[in-house]
Amino acid sequence: MSKLTKTTRRPPLEHLAIIMDGNGRWAKQRELPRIAGHQQGVKTVTRIVDECVSHGIRFLSLFAFSSENWGRPRPEIDALMGLLLQFLSSQRLKMLTEGIRLRVIGDLSRLSAPVQAALTDAERETAQGQTLTLVLALSYGGRDEIMRAAKRIAREALEGRLNIDQLDNKSFSTFLDTGEIPEPDLLIRTSGEIRISNFFLWQAAYAELYFTDVLWPDFDAEELQKALDDYLQRKRRFGLTDDQVEPQLRMRESND
Ligand code: FPP
């Protein structure tokens, strides 16, 4: 399978972000409990992780549990946390052997102690992974992340450790949960909803957006390929003109 980063005259895809949506509707269509949709959703996660490795994508970010999801019925929250724990233990060996590094972002203080511990252990154990960084957004909201970053910046400035006048986009972004992780190139949302629902508000400023009606449990290699093909047709200008972007594309081509 072709490595996207090596494809010439096409925008490189280093970071793919996904809003996994539609588990509940998938279950409802089959008259199953919502949790059956989430269980199927986890299977899709493992499938898409494999696909990203095959495509040579370096970062995959998944919106797994939003700050707003805390408002769901307690049994659904508990079931989701149970699935997360199962996922971590069932994928541990694969992550280690395939060089998959886990990174977790969000307000983790709201997660239970056992879930926090399992996540910390998995992050530590997989820290040396070089193939793919799997970023799980848990208890995550873009506004909350920006607010937490702003508070840290204000605190550092008040304590005299940061010169506010030197703060710019690049240094501000290091205060976000994503830190040194590159910005997403492509953001996919499944299930037909056309919004980003508080995900990667800062990071997705120049991401290409792709919306599909397919529900997350049905999202597979073929659907991913459609999204990637669509992305490869896009011309990314980052606010510049065509004439400015063309030489950059040619230079990248000659370096490939
Ligand atoms: C959206 O579907 C999905 C979620 C809120 C949770 C996503 C979680 C998983 C796929 C499983 C856990 C993840 C990992 C990484 C182990 P929805 O419930 O909002 O669906 P609906 O809009 O159709 O009701």
Side-chain angles (χ1 to χ4, degrees):
M1 207 166 291
S2 68
K3 301 254 173 185
L4 288 155
T5 43
K6 291 272 179 252
T7 312
T8 55
R9 287 202 65 79
R10 288 171 166 186
L13 204 170
E14 192 178 16
H15 185 175
L16 169 65
I18 307 182
I19 301 175
M20 312 180 285
D21 198 8
N23 295 349
R25 275 161 285 170
W26 184 91
K28 197 171 181 193
Q29 284 170 1
R30 290 161 179 76
E31 297 183 11
L32 293 169
R34 290 179 59 80
I35 187 63
H38 295 313
Q39 281 166 341
Q40 206 61 31
V42 177
K43 289 186 187 162
T44 305
V45 169
T46 53
R47 207 159 55 206
I48 296 304
V49 167
D50 291 344
E51 286 303 311
C52 286
V53 170
S54 306
H55 281 289
I57 292 170
R58 302 298 311 283
F59 296 86
L60 170 65
S61 293
L62 299 176
F63 200 6
F65 192 87
S66 72
S67 342
E68 291 70 33
N69 287 155
W70 287 115
R72 292 201 175 190
R74 194 69 228 180
E76 182 168 342
I77 296 175
D78 291 344
L80 280 167
M81 294 302 151
L83 285 176
L84 174 64
L85 290 175
Q86 267 176 30
F87 173 83
L88 294 175
S89 66
S90 68
Q91 298 302 302
R92 181 181 170 273
L93 201 56
K94 178 176 132 183
M95 289 199 282
L96 290 172
T97 50
E98 294 192 12
I100 299 170
R101 173 173 71 134
L102 184 79
R103 273 285 311 273
V104 188
I105 60 168
D107 180 2
L108 306 183
S109 67
R110 297 183 72 183
L111 299 168
S112 72
V115 171
Q116 285 188 39
L119 290 167
T120 310
D121 285 352
E123 278 188 311
R124 197 190 52 243
E125 279 192 307
T126 61
Q128 302 308 317
Q130 299 281 329
T131 311
L132 172 77
T133 298
L134 173 61
V135 181
L136 287 188
L138 289 164
S139 185
Y140 175 89
R143 286 182 178 173
D144 176 64
E145 177 192 38
I146 293 169
M147 184 68 78
R148 285 186 284 107
K151 284 183 183 171
R152 275 179 57 208
I153 288 168
R155 205 169 295 121
E156 293 208 4
L158 282 171
E159 290 166 1
R161 286 183 284 123
L162 181 86
N163 180 352
I164 286 288
D165 294 327
Q166 283 175 2
L167 199 63
D168 56 14
N169 282 340
K170 197 160 184 273
S171 52
F172 186 94
S173 63
T174 64
F175 285 87
L176 296 170
D177 294 351
T178 38
E180 303 302 320
I181 294 171
E183 290 180 2
D185 300 295
L186 173 63
L187 172 60
I188 297 175
R189 182 175 188 148
T190 58
S191 92
E193 309 295 347
I194 318 283
R195 55 177 176 268
I196 60 171
S197 297
N198 206 11
F199 187 43
F200 276 175
L201 290 186
W202 173 283
Q203 296 89 337
Y206 285 99
E208 296 295 326
L209 306 179
Y210 180 88
F211 300 97
T212 171
D213 288 341
V214 174
L215 304 176
W216 178 247
D218 292 327
F219 194 79
D220 57 12
E222 200 180 318
E223 293 300 330
L224 177 66
Q225 190 62 56
K226 282 188 206 165
L228 300 180
D229 288 344
D230 190 278
Y231 170 79
L232 292 173
Q233 302 306 318
R234 311 270 180 106
K235 193 162 197 182
R236 304 187 75 194
R237 285 192 291 265
F238 300 96
L240 303 179
T241 65
D242 270 347
D243 289 348
Q244 289 172 303
V245 170
E246 275 299 322
Q248 292 178 11
L249 283 174
R250 278 197 294 276
M251 192 182 303
R252 206 170 56 222
E253 245 181 72
S254 63
N255 290 334
D256 275 342

Coordinates of all heavy atoms in Angstrom, one line a residue, residues 67-140:
S67 N -15.8 16.2 26.9 CA -16.2 16.8 28.2 C -17.7 16.8 28.4 O -18.2 16.6 29.5 CB -15.8 18.3 28.3 OG -14.8 18.7 27.4
E68 N -18.4 16.9 27.3 CA -19.9 16.9 27.3 C -20.5 15.5 27.6 O -21.6 15.4 28.1 CB -20.5 17.5 26.1 CG -20.2 19.0 25.9 CD -18.8 19.4 25.6 OE1 -18.1 18.6 24.9 OE2 -18.3 20.4 26.0
N69 N -19.7 14.5 27.2 CA -20.2 13.1 27.3 C -20.4 12.7 28.8 O -21.1 11.7 29.1 CB -19.2 12.1 26.7 CG -19.3 12.1 25.2 OD1 -18.4 11.7 24.5 ND2 -20.4 12.5 24.6
W70 N -19.8 13.5 29.7 CA -20.0 13.3 31.2 C -21.5 13.4 31.5 O -22.0 12.9 32.6 CB -19.2 14.2 32.1 CG -17.7 13.9 32.1 CD1 -16.7 14.7 31.6 CD2 -17.1 12.7 32.6 NE1 -15.5 14.1 31.7 CE2 -15.7 12.9 32.4 CE3 -17.5 11.5 33.2 CZ2 -14.8 11.9 32.7 CZ3 -16.6 10.6 33.6 CH2 -15.2 10.8 33.3
G71 N -22.3 14.1 30.7 CA -23.7 14.2 30.9 C -24.5 13.0 30.5 O -25.7 13.0 30.8
R72 N -23.9 12.0 29.9 CA -24.7 10.8 29.5 C -25.1 10.0 30.7 O -24.5 10.1 31.8 CB -23.8 10.0 28.6 CG -23.6 10.7 27.3 CD -23.2 9.7 26.1 NE -23.1 10.5 24.9 CZ -23.0 10.0 23.7 NH1 -22.9 8.7 23.6 NH2 -22.9 10.7 22.6
P73 N -26.1 9.1 30.6 CA -26.5 8.2 31.7 C -25.2 7.5 32.3 O -24.4 7.0 31.5 CB -27.5 7.2 31.1 CG -27.9 7.9 29.8 CD -26.8 8.8 29.3
R74 N -25.2 7.4 33.6 CA -24.1 6.7 34.3 C -23.7 5.3 33.7 O -22.5 5.0 33.5 CB -24.3 6.7 35.8 CG -23.1 6.4 36.6 CD -22.1 7.5 36.6 NE -20.8 7.0 36.4 CZ -19.7 7.8 36.3 NH1 -19.8 9.1 36.5 NH2 -18.5 7.3 36.1
P75 N -24.7 4.5 33.5 CA -24.4 3.1 33.0 C -23.6 3.2 31.6 O -22.7 2.4 31.4 CB -25.7 2.4 32.8 CG -26.7 3.2 33.7 CD -26.2 4.6 33.7
E76 N -24.0 4.2 30.8 CA -23.3 4.3 29.5 C -21.8 4.8 29.7 O -20.9 4.3 29.0 CB -24.0 5.2 28.5 CG -23.3 5.3 27.2 CD -24.2 6.0 26.1 OE1 -25.4 6.1 26.2 OE2 -23.5 6.4 25.0
I77 N -21.7 5.7 30.6 CA -20.3 6.2 30.9 C -19.5 5.0 31.4 O -18.3 4.8 31.0 CB -20.3 7.4 31.9 CG1 -21.1 8.6 31.3 CG2 -18.9 7.7 32.4 CD1 -21.3 9.7 32.3
D78 N -20.0 4.3 32.4 CA -19.3 3.2 33.0 C -18.9 2.1 31.9 O -17.8 1.6 31.9 CB -20.1 2.5 34.1 CG -20.2 3.4 35.3 OD1 -19.4 4.4 35.4 OD2 -21.1 3.2 36.2
A79 N -19.9 1.9 31.0 CA -19.6 0.9 29.9 C -18.5 1.4 29.0 O -17.6 0.6 28.6 CB -20.9 0.6 29.1
L80 N -18.5 2.7 28.7 CA -17.5 3.2 27.8 C -16.1 3.1 28.5 O -15.1 2.7 27.9 CB -17.8 4.7 27.5 CG -18.8 4.9 26.4 CD1 -19.2 6.3 26.3 CD2 -18.2 4.5 25.0
M81 N -16.1 3.4 29.8 CA -14.8 3.3 30.5 C -14.3 1.8 30.6 O -13.1 1.5 30.5 CB -14.9 3.9 32.0 CG -15.2 5.4 32.0 SD -13.9 6.3 31.2 CE -14.8 7.7 30.6
G82 N -15.3 0.9 30.7 CA -14.9 -0.5 30.7 C -14.3 -0.9 29.4 O -13.4 -1.7 29.3
L83 N -14.9 -0.4 28.3 CA -14.4 -0.7 27.0 C -13.0 -0.2 26.8 O -12.2 -0.8 26.2 CB -15.4 -0.2 25.9 CG -16.7 -0.9 25.7 CD1 -17.5 -0.2 24.7 CD2 -16.4 -2.3 25.2
L84 N -12.8 1.0 27.3 CA -11.5 1.6 27.2 C -10.4 0.7 27.9 O -9.4 0.5 27.4 CB -11.5 3.0 27.8 CG -10.2 3.8 27.9 CD1 -9.6 4.0 26.5 CD2 -10.4 5.1 28.7
L85 N -10.8 0.3 29.2 CA -9.8 -0.6 29.9 C -9.6 -1.9 29.1 O -8.4 -2.3 29.0 CB -10.4 -0.9 31.3 CG -10.4 0.3 32.3 CD1 -11.1 -0.1 33.6 CD2 -9.0 0.8 32.6
Q86 N -10.6 -2.5 28.6 CA -10.5 -3.7 27.8 C -9.6 -3.4 26.6 O -8.7 -4.3 26.2 CB -11.8 -4.1 27.2 CG -12.6 -5.1 28.1 CD -13.9 -5.4 27.5 OE1 -14.1 -5.3 26.2 NE2 -14.9 -5.7 28.3
F87 N -9.8 -2.3 25.9 CA -9.0 -2.0 24.7 C -7.5 -1.9 25.1 O -6.7 -2.4 24.4 CB -9.5 -0.6 24.2 CG -8.7 -0.1 23.1 CD1 -8.9 -0.5 21.8 CD2 -7.7 0.9 23.3 CE1 -8.1 0.0 20.7 CE2 -7.0 1.5 22.3 CZ -7.2 1.0 21.0
L88 N -7.3 -1.2 26.2 CA -5.8 -1.0 26.6 C -5.2 -2.4 26.9 O -4.0 -2.6 26.5 CB -5.7 -0.1 27.9 CG -6.2 1.3 27.7 CD1 -6.2 2.1 29.0 CD2 -5.3 2.1 26.6
S89 N -5.9 -3.3 27.6 CA -5.2 -4.5 27.9 C -5.1 -5.4 26.7 O -4.1 -6.1 26.5 CB -5.9 -5.2 29.1 OG -7.2 -5.6 28.8
S90 N -6.2 -5.4 25.8 CA -6.1 -6.3 24.7 C -5.1 -5.8 23.6 O -4.6 -6.6 22.8 CB -7.5 -6.5 24.0 OG -7.9 -5.2 23.5
Q91 N -4.9 -4.5 23.6 CA -4.0 -4.0 22.5 C -2.5 -3.8 23.0 O -1.7 -3.4 22.2 CB -4.5 -2.6 22.0 CG -5.9 -2.7 21.4 CD -6.0 -3.7 20.2 OE1 -5.2 -3.5 19.2 NE2 -6.8 -4.7 20.3
R92 N -2.3 -4.1 24.3 CA -1.0 -3.8 24.8 C 0.2 -4.4 24.0 O 1.1 -3.7 23.6 CB -1.0 -4.3 26.3 CG 0.3 -4.0 27.0 CD 0.3 -4.6 28.4 NE 1.6 -4.5 29.0 CZ 2.5 -5.4 28.9 NH1 2.2 -6.6 28.2 NH2 3.7 -5.3 29.4
L93 N 0.1 -5.7 23.8 CA 1.2 -6.4 23.1 C 1.3 -5.9 21.7 O 2.5 -5.7 21.3 CB 0.8 -7.9 23.1 CG 2.0 -8.8 22.9 CD1 3.1 -8.6 24.0 CD2 1.6 -10.3 23.0
K94 N 0.2 -5.7 21.0 CA 0.3 -5.2 19.7 C 0.9 -3.9 19.6 O 1.8 -3.6 18.7 CB -1.1 -5.2 19.1 CG -1.2 -4.6 17.7 CD -2.6 -4.7 17.1 CE -2.9 -3.4 16.5 NZ -4.3 -3.4 16.0
M95 N 0.6 -3.0 20.5 CA 1.2 -1.6 20.5 C 2.7 -1.7 20.7 O 3.5 -1.0 20.1 CB 0.5 -0.8 21.6 CG -0.9 -0.4 21.3 SD -1.5 1.0 22.2 CE -1.9 0.3 23.7
L96 N 3.1 -2.6 21.6 CA 4.5 -2.7 21.9 C 5.3 -3.3 20.7 O 6.3 -2.8 20.3 CB 4.8 -3.6 23.2 CG 4.3 -2.9 24.5 CD1 4.4 -3.9 25.6 CD2 5.2 -1.7 24.8
T97 N 4.7 -4.4 20.1 CA 5.4 -5.0 19.0 C 5.4 -4.2 17.7 O 6.4 -4.2 17.0 CB 4.9 -6.5 18.7 OG1 3.5 -6.4 18.6 CG2 5.2 -7.4 19.8
E98 N 4.4 -3.4 17.6 CA 4.3 -2.7 16.3 C 4.8 -1.2 16.5 O 4.7 -0.5 15.5 CB 2.8 -2.7 15.8 CG 2.4 -4.0 15.4 CD 1.1 -4.0 14.6 OE1 0.6 -3.0 14.2 OE2 0.6 -5.1 14.4
G99 N 5.2 -0.9 17.6 CA 5.8 0.5 17.8 C 4.7 1.6 17.8 O 4.9 2.6 17.3
I100 N 3.5 1.2 18.5 CA 2.5 2.2 18.5 C 2.5 2.9 19.9 O 2.5 2.2 21.0 CB 1.1 1.6 18.3 CG1 1.0 1.0 16.9 CG2 0.0 2.6 18.6 CD1 -0.2 0.1 16.7
R101 N 2.7 4.2 19.9 CA 2.8 5.0 21.1 C 1.5 5.6 21.5 O 0.8 6.2 20.6 CB 3.8 6.1 20.9 CG 4.0 7.1 22.0 CD 5.1 8.1 21.7 NE 4.8 9.0 20.7 CZ 5.1 10.3 20.7 NH1 5.6 10.8 21.8 NH2 4.8 11.1 19.7
L102 N 1.1 5.4 22.7 CA -0.2 6.0 23.1 C 0.0 7.3 23.8 O 0.9 7.5 24.6 CB -0.9 5.0 24.1 CG -2.3 5.5 24.6 CD1 -3.3 5.2 23.5 CD2 -2.8 4.9 25.9
R103 N -0.8 8.3 23.4 CA -0.8 9.6 24.1 C -2.3 9.9 24.5 O -3.2 9.7 23.6 CB -0.3 10.7 23.2 CG 1.2 10.9 23.2 CD 1.7 11.6 24.4 NE 1.0 12.8 24.8 CZ 1.3 14.0 24.3 NH1 2.2 14.2 23.4 NH2 0.6 15.1 24.7
V104 N -2.5 10.4 25.7 CA -3.9 10.7 26.1 C -4.0 12.2 26.3 O -3.1 12.8 26.9 CB -4.2 10.0 27.3 CG1 -5.7 10.1 27.6 CG2 -3.9 8.5 27.2
I105 N -5.0 12.8 25.8 CA -5.2 14.3 26.0 C -6.6 14.5 26.6 O -7.5 13.7 26.4 CB -5.0 15.1 24.7 CG1 -6.1 14.7 23.6 CG2 -3.6 15.0 24.2 CD1 -6.1 15.6 22.5
G106 N -6.8 15.6 27.3 CA -8.1 15.9 27.9 C -7.9 16.2 29.4 O -6.8 16.2 29.9
D107 N -9.0 16.5 30.1 CA -9.0 16.7 31.5 C -9.1 15.4 32.2 O -10.1 15.0 32.6 CB -10.1 17.7 31.9 CG -10.1 17.9 33.4 OD1 -9.2 17.5 34.1 OD2 -11.0 18.6 33.9
L108 N -7.9 14.8 32.4 CA -7.9 13.4 32.9 C -8.2 13.3 34.4 O -8.6 12.2 34.9 CB -6.5 12.8 32.6 CG -6.1 12.8 31.1 CD1 -4.8 12.1 30.9 CD2 -7.2 12.2 30.2
S109 N -8.2 14.5 35.0 CA -8.5 14.5 36.5 C -9.9 14.0 36.8 O -10.2 13.6 37.9 CB -8.3 15.9 37.1 OG -9.2 16.8 36.6
R110 N -10.8 14.1 35.7 CA -12.2 13.7 36.0 C -12.4 12.2 35.8 O -13.4 11.6 36.1 CB -13.1 14.4 35.0 CG -13.1 15.9 35.2 CD -14.1 16.6 34.3 NE -15.5 16.4 34.6 CZ -16.5 16.9 33.9 NH1 -16.3 17.6 32.8 NH2 -17.7 16.6 34.3
L111 N -11.4 11.5 35.3 CA -11.5 10.0 35.1 C -11.2 9.3 36.4 O -10.5 9.8 37.3 CB -10.4 9.5 34.1 CG -10.6 10.1 32.6 CD1 -9.4 9.8 31.8 CD2 -11.8 9.6 32.0
S112 N -11.8 8.1 36.6 CA -11.6 7.4 37.8 C -10.1 7.0 38.0 O -9.4 6.9 37.0 CB -12.4 6.1 37.8 OG -11.9 5.2 36.9
A113 N -9.7 6.7 39.3 CA -8.3 6.4 39.5 C -7.9 5.2 38.7 O -6.8 5.2 38.2 CB -8.1 6.2 41.0
P114 N -8.6 4.1 38.7 CA -8.2 2.9 37.9 C -8.0 3.2 36.4 O -7.0 2.8 35.8 CB -9.3 1.9 38.1 CG -10.1 2.3 39.2 CD -9.9 3.8 39.4
V115 N -8.9 4.1 35.8 CA -8.7 4.4 34.4 C -7.5 5.3 34.2 O -6.7 5.1 33.3 CB -10.0 5.1 33.9 CG1 -9.8 5.6 32.5 CG2 -11.2 4.1 33.9
Q116 N -7.3 6.2 35.1 CA -6.1 7.1 35.0 C -4.8 6.2 35.1 O -3.9 6.5 34.3 CB -6.1 8.1 36.2 CG -7.1 9.3 36.0 CD -6.9 10.3 37.1 OE1 -5.7 10.7 37.4 NE2 -8.0 10.9 37.5
A117 N -4.8 5.3 36.0 CA -3.6 4.5 36.2 C -3.4 3.6 35.0 O -2.2 3.5 34.5 CB -3.8 3.6 37.4
A118 N -4.4 3.0 34.4 CA -4.2 2.2 33.2 C -3.7 3.0 32.1 O -2.8 2.6 31.3 CB -5.5 1.5 32.8
L119 N -4.2 4.3 31.9 CA -3.7 5.1 30.8 C -2.3 5.5 31.0 O -1.5 5.5 30.1 CB -4.6 6.4 30.8 CG -6.1 6.1 30.3 CD1 -6.9 7.4 30.5 CD2 -6.1 5.8 28.8
T120 N -2.0 5.9 32.3 CA -0.6 6.3 32.6 C 0.4 5.2 32.3 O 1.4 5.3 31.7 CB -0.4 6.7 34.1 OG1 -1.5 7.7 34.3 CG2 0.9 7.4 34.4
D121 N 0.0 3.9 32.7 CA 0.9 2.8 32.5 C 1.0 2.5 31.0 O 2.2 2.3 30.5 CB 0.2 1.5 33.1 CG 0.3 1.5 34.6 OD1 1.0 2.3 35.1 OD2 -0.3 0.6 35.2
A122 N -0.1 2.6 30.2 CA 0.0 2.4 28.8 C 0.9 3.4 28.1 O 1.7 3.1 27.2 CB -1.4 2.3 28.2
E123 N 0.7 4.7 28.5 CA 1.6 5.7 27.9 C 3.0 5.5 28.2 O 3.9 5.6 27.3 CB 1.2 7.1 28.5 CG -0.1 7.7 27.8 CD -0.3 9.1 28.3 OE1 -0.3 9.4 29.5 OE2 -0.5 10.0 27.4
R124 N 3.3 5.1 29.5 CA 4.7 4.9 29.9 C 5.3 3.7 29.1 O 6.4 3.8 28.5 CB 4.8 4.7 31.4 CG 6.2 4.8 31.9 CD 6.3 4.4 33.4 NE 5.8 3.0 33.6 CZ 4.8 2.7 34.3 NH1 4.1 3.7 35.0 NH2 4.4 1.5 34.5
E125 N 4.6 2.6 29.1 CA 5.1 1.4 28.4 C 5.3 1.6 26.9 O 6.2 1.0 26.4 CB 4.0 0.3 28.6 CG 4.1 -0.4 29.9 CD 3.3 -1.7 29.9 OE1 2.1 -1.6 29.5 OE2 3.8 -2.7 30.2
T126 N 4.5 2.4 26.3 CA 4.6 2.5 24.8 C 5.4 3.7 24.4 O 5.4 4.0 23.2 CB 3.2 2.6 24.2 OG1 2.5 3.7 24.7 CG2 2.3 1.3 24.5
A127 N 5.9 4.4 25.3 CA 6.5 5.7 25.0 C 7.6 5.7 23.9 O 7.9 6.7 23.3 CB 7.1 6.3 26.3
Q128 N 8.2 4.5 23.7 CA 9.3 4.5 22.7 C 8.8 4.2 21.3 O 9.6 4.1 20.4 CB 10.4 3.4 23.1 CG 11.0 3.6 24.5 CD 11.6 5.0 24.7 OE1 12.2 5.5 23.8 NE2 11.3 5.6 25.8
G129 N 7.5 3.9 21.2 CA 6.9 3.6 19.9 C 7.3 4.6 18.8 O 7.1 5.8 19.0
Q130 N 7.7 4.1 17.6 CA 8.1 5.1 16.6 C 7.2 5.0 15.4 O 7.3 5.8 14.5 CB 9.5 4.7 16.1 CG 10.6 4.8 17.2 CD 11.1 6.2 17.4 OE1 11.0 7.0 16.5 NE2 11.4 6.5 18.6
T131 N 6.3 4.0 15.3 CA 5.6 3.8 14.1 C 4.4 4.8 14.0 O 4.2 5.5 13.0 CB 5.0 2.3 14.0 OG1 6.1 1.5 14.3 CG2 4.4 2.0 12.6
L132 N 3.5 4.7 15.0 CA 2.3 5.5 15.0 C 2.1 6.0 16.4 O 2.2 5.3 17.4 CB 1.1 4.7 14.5 CG -0.3 5.3 14.7 CD1 -0.5 6.3 13.5 CD2 -1.4 4.3 14.7
T133 N 1.7 7.3 16.5 CA 1.3 7.8 17.8 C -0.3 7.9 17.8 O -0.9 8.5 16.9 CB 1.8 9.3 18.1 OG1 3.2 9.2 18.1 CG2 1.3 9.8 19.4
L134 N -0.9 7.1 18.7 CA -2.3 7.0 18.8 C -2.7 8.0 19.9 O -2.4 7.8 21.1 CB -2.8 5.6 19.1 CG -4.2 5.4 19.5 CD1 -5.1 5.8 18.3 CD2 -4.5 4.0 19.9
V135 N -3.4 9.1 19.5 CA -3.8 10.1 20.5 C -5.2 9.9 20.9 O -6.1 10.0 20.0 CB -3.6 11.5 19.9 CG1 -4.0 12.6 21.0 CG2 -2.2 11.7 19.4
L136 N -5.5 9.5 22.1 CA -6.9 9.4 22.5 C -7.3 10.6 23.3 O -6.7 11.0 24.3 CB -7.0 8.2 23.5 CG -6.9 6.8 22.9 CD1 -7.3 5.7 24.0 CD2 -7.8 6.6 21.7
A137 N -8.4 11.3 22.8 CA -8.9 12.4 23.4 C -10.1 11.9 24.4 O -11.1 11.4 23.9 CB -9.5 13.4 22.4
L138 N -9.8 12.1 25.7 CA -10.7 11.6 26.7 C -11.1 12.7 27.6 O -10.2 13.3 28.1 CB -10.1 10.4 27.4 CG -9.8 9.1 26.7 CD1 -8.8 8.2 27.4 CD2 -11.2 8.4 26.5
S139 N -12.3 12.8 28.0 CA -12.8 13.9 28.8 C -12.2 15.2 28.2 O -11.7 16.0 28.9 CB -12.2 13.7 30.2 OG -12.7 14.7 31.1
Y140 N -12.3 15.3 26.9 CA -11.6 16.3 26.1 C -12.7 17.3 25.6 O -13.7 16.9 25.0 CB -10.8 15.7 25.0 CG -10.2 16.8 24.1 CD1 -9.0 17.4 24.4 CD2 -10.9 17.3 23.0 CE1 -8.4 18.4 23.6 CE2 -10.4 18.3 22.2 CZ -9.1 18.8 22.5 OH -8.6 19.8 21.7

